[in-house]
Amino acid sequence: MIHSTLIRLRTAWGTVQADLRDDERGDVPGWVLITLMTAGLVVVIWALAGPALAQLFQQAIDQVSSF
């Protein structure tokens, strides 16, 4: 009984190890590039739209404060 359980556990562990070796981790450099490009786009858009958004926010605050 114990011997057959150990054999099944050893076989299962071997299967897990094989699956881990064959597992694809994905395209890490691609994800890094996507992340950097997204951050760059955010910076550029913020630089272009920042003053207009600040003015819009200030107008909204001024309208609320006038009540």
Side-chain angles (χ1 to χ4, degrees):
M1 177 78 174
I2 293 176
H3 181 67
S4 63
T5 303
L6 288 175
I7 290 173
R8 278 187 274 153
L9 283 174
R10 188 177 303 163
T11 304
W13 179 246
T15 303
V16 169
Q17 285 178 330
D19 288 345
L20 288 175
R21 277 192 306 265
D22 296 338
D23 189 24
E24 294 182 23
R25 293 178 179 250
D27 185 16
V28 174
W31 284 108
V32 170
L33 182 61
I34 289 171
T35 303
L36 291 175
M37 288 175 63
T38 303
L41 284 172
V42 168
V43 168
V44 168
I45 291 170
W46 190 263
L48 295 174
L53 290 172
Q55 183 181 8
L56 184 67
F57 178 75
Q58 190 60 46
Q59 288 174 355
I61 294 296
D62 291 342
Q63 285 181 354
V64 171
S65 298
S66 67
F67 284 121

